[in-house]
């Protein structure tokens, strides 16, 4: 079977962040409980950043590196998100236009909560495998953001809201999928998927979440175990420890991933606590590196963990198989795998993801609280608004290179500008 997978990949995690340790102190959170989140920083979306700006800024370096002929072979653009701002028009139309892609192209959007990025990747992989258009490529952009808001006239935050706040991030992962998978080669057919209806976390209103945090944790653990068992059944001779050199899991926060890993190590390998801790640090630590600095970006998070794994793993010994797990509330999940090589790391590191995270502007708590109070400027359904500047002008030039920002919304149509 021909090779297929990710030819190029990039992460964009915004221009601003907060130190979640400082945020915990600012909110007066129980520090012992907070430590279980295993979070360090979280990206904060400015009013003039939205899912389109995040996605374009992630994808543009990939597209700019292609020849005109290669760009014209992109025949499918898929947006994966739960942060869309229109019930009909797909954000992929904005990506297609702003990235200057050819007109002979399918444009679509996928919503499956946090599973959407992997759903889009697998759709793209199967499009390439179908060979209905030999040599064609697909562009997948998983993009999501969290905008917390403070009620008018006060700073009141519920306890549940306060503990969700440190882990809610923003960002995008762009992937070019084709027959030359220099970054991540999919193990074709090696996947176990598992889903059922559960009311754990949902977005019944455009600008807010609802749900049951405890049920969400239990559903994540259940799906992780059963998706892996289905993967094992389909593939055959699979051992949770020996088959995978590294693991990249959907990361709402690091503590949830640690719980899922501990559950599988106990049940599949009868591992003792010391062995579980060592394995977690060695095989999952690289994938958590960026997730701990960005926060939960919903549909993009599994792919963020994969990018983090590739960038931070020790690949000096040669190719490694990565076991990946994606979970989307509601719910659908999948355990799948692929192979990365030293050249995968070299290819991805050209994107400078770690340096971009380092260059973000750190918001102080006063700036951050002001952003929360002004987040209703771009609520779902906004018809007209001007966003010529930013409430934090220092962030616009923080990364030292040209980036896309939202300029205005004019009769629901979003208009963007490039800012150096």
């Amino acid at each position: 079977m021909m090779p297929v997978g990710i030819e190029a990949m990039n992460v964009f995690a915004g221009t601003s962040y907060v130190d979640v340790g400082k945020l915990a102190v600012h909110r007066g959170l129980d520090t012992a409980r907070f430590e279980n989140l295993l979070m360090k920083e979280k990206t904060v979306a400015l009013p003039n950043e939205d899912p389109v700006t995040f996605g374009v800024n992630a994808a543009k370096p990939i597209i700019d590196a292609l020849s005109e002929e290669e760009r014209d072979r992109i025949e499918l653009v898929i947006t994966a998100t739960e942060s869309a701002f229109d019930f009909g028009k797909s954000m992929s139309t904005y990506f297609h236009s702003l990235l200057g892609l050819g007109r002979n192209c399918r444009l679509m959007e996928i919503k499956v909560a946090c599973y959407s990025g992997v759903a889009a990747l697998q759709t793209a992989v199967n499009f390439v495998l179908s060979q209905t258009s030999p040599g064609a490529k697909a562009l997948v952009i998983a993009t999501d953001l969290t905008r917390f808001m403070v009620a008018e006239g006060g700073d009141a935050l519920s306890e549940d809201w306060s503990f969700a706040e440190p882990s809610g991030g923003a960002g995008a992962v762009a992937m070019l999928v084709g027959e030359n998978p220099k970054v991540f080669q999919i193990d074709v057919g090696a996947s176990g998927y598992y889903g059922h209806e559960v009311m754990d976390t949902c977005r019944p209103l455009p600008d807010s979440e609802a749900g049951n945090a405890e049920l969400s944790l239990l559903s994540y653990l259940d799906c992780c175990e059963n998706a892996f068992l289905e993967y094992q059944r389909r593939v055959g001779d699979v051992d949770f420890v020996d088959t995978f050199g590294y693991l990249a899991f959907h990361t709402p926060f690091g503590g949830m991933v640690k719980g899922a890993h501990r559950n599988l190590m106990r049940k599949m390998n009868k591992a003792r606590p010391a062995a579980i801790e060592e394995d977690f640090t060695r095989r999952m630590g690289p994938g958590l590196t960026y997730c701990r600095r960005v926060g939960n970006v919903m549909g993009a998070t599994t792919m963020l963990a994969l990018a983090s794994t590739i960038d931070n793993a020790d690949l000096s010994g040669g190719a490694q198989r990565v076991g990946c797990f994606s979970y989307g509330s509601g719910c659908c999940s999948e355990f799948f795998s692929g192979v990365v090589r030293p050249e995968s790391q070299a290819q991805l590191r050209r994107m400078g993801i770690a340096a971009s995270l380092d260059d973000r502007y750190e918001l102080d708590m006063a700036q951050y609280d002001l952003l929360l109070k002004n987040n209703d400027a771009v609520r779902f359904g906004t018809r007209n608004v001007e966003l010529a500047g930013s409430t934090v002008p220092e962030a616009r030039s923080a990364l030292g290179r040209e980036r896309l920002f939202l300029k205005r919304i004019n009769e629901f149509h979003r208009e963007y500008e490039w800012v150096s």
Side-chain angles (χ1 to χ4, degrees), residues 82-103:
E82 60 179 73
S83 305
F85 44 76
D86 191 290
F87 287 125
K89 181 178 172 64
S90 167
M91 283 194 293
S92 61
T93 58
Y94 283 103
F95 294 137
H96 179 266
S97 175
L98 290 162
L99 293 169
L101 301 180
R103 293 290 180 96

Side-chain angles (χ1 to χ4, degrees), residues 15-27 42 44 46 165 360-373 391-395:
T15 57
S16 305
Y17 76 96
V18 293
D19 181 309
V20 296
K22 295 176 183 177
L23 178 60
V25 172
H26 181 60
R27 294 285 186 246
K42 63 170 251 171
V44 179
L46 301 178
E165 184 186 11
R360 292 171 301 168
Y361 177 78
E362 182 179 357
L363 300 165
D364 61 35
M365 291 301 103
Q367 291 171 317
Y368 176 66
D369 282 343
L370 181 61
L371 280 174
L372 297 187
K373 292 178 180 179
T391 51
V392 189
E394 302 94 329

Side-chain angles (χ1 to χ4, degrees), residues 39 42-44 146 148 164-170 252 294-298 368:
M39 288 293 303
K42 63 170 251 171
T43 291
V44 179
T146 304
F148 291 103
E165 184 186 11
S167 61
V294 177
N296 184 13
V297 281
M298 288 73 85
Y368 176 66

Side-chain angles (χ1 to χ4, degrees), residues 291-304:
C291 295
R292 294 185 67 191
R293 301 191 63 187
V294 177
N296 184 13
V297 281
M298 288 73 85
T301 307
T302 304
M303 307 322 297
L304 174 64

Side-chain angles (χ1 to χ4, degrees), residues 216-408:
S216 186
L217 171 60
L218 294 173
S219 183
Y220 180 103
L221 294 174
D222 174 60
C223 284
C224 186
E225 179 179 339
N226 282 286
F228 174 74
L229 288 172
E230 178 63 10
Y231 174 97
Q232 193 176 53
R233 186 190 70 80
R234 286 171 179 255
V235 176
D237 186 19
V238 173
D239 180 86
F240 182 66
V241 172
D242 295 335
T243 300
F244 313 103
Y246 290 94
L247 299 166
F249 281 19
H250 170 58
T251 308
F253 56 89
M256 184 177 283
V257 172
K258 191 168 189 177
H261 170 265
R262 181 171 58 245
N263 181 59
L264 286 176
M265 288 290 289
R266 285 173 175 172
K267 291 185 175 180
M268 305 300 161
N269 295 85
K270 310 299 183 189
R272 307 293 293 176
I276 293 172
E277 189 67 30
E278 184 279 330
D279 190 83
F280 177 77
T281 301
R282 177 173 54 85
R283 290 199 297 158
M284 303 209 77
L288 293 180
T289 303
Y290 294 161
C291 295
R292 294 185 67 191
R293 301 191 63 187
V294 177
N296 184 13
V297 281
M298 288 73 85
T301 307
T302 304
M303 307 322 297
L304 174 64
L306 177 60
S308 183
T309 299
I310 298 168
D311 242 2
N312 296 290
D314 179 4
L315 299 178
S316 59
Q320 294 281 353
R321 175 159 282 105
V322 182
C324 304
F325 172 67
S326 177
Y327 173 80
S329 294
C331 69
C332 189
S333 63
E334 182 169 351
F335 192 102
F336 65 103
S337 64
V339 175
V340 298
R341 299 175 173 84
E343 52 267 34
S344 306
Q345 191 171 74
Q347 178 86 1
L348 187 60
R349 283 183 176 175
R350 293 184 191 131
M351 295 295 175
I353 297 168
S356 293
L357 294 178
D358 292 341
D359 290 341
R360 292 171 301 168
Y361 177 78
E362 182 179 357
L363 300 165
D364 61 35
M365 291 301 103
Q367 291 171 317
Y368 176 66
D369 282 343
L370 181 61
L371 280 174
L372 297 187
K373 292 178 180 179
N374 292 332
N375 267 343
D376 61 353
V378 284
R379 296 187 73 139
F380 188 96
T382 298
R383 184 166 188 161
N384 293 289
V385 68
E386 289 285 339
L387 295 163
S390 170
T391 51
V392 189
E394 302 94 329
R396 288 170 71 86
S397 57
L399 301 189
R401 64 177 185 274
E402 188 178 56
R403 291 167 333 284
L404 189 73
F405 286 98
L406 177 62
K407 184 176 182 179
R408 68 172 63 90

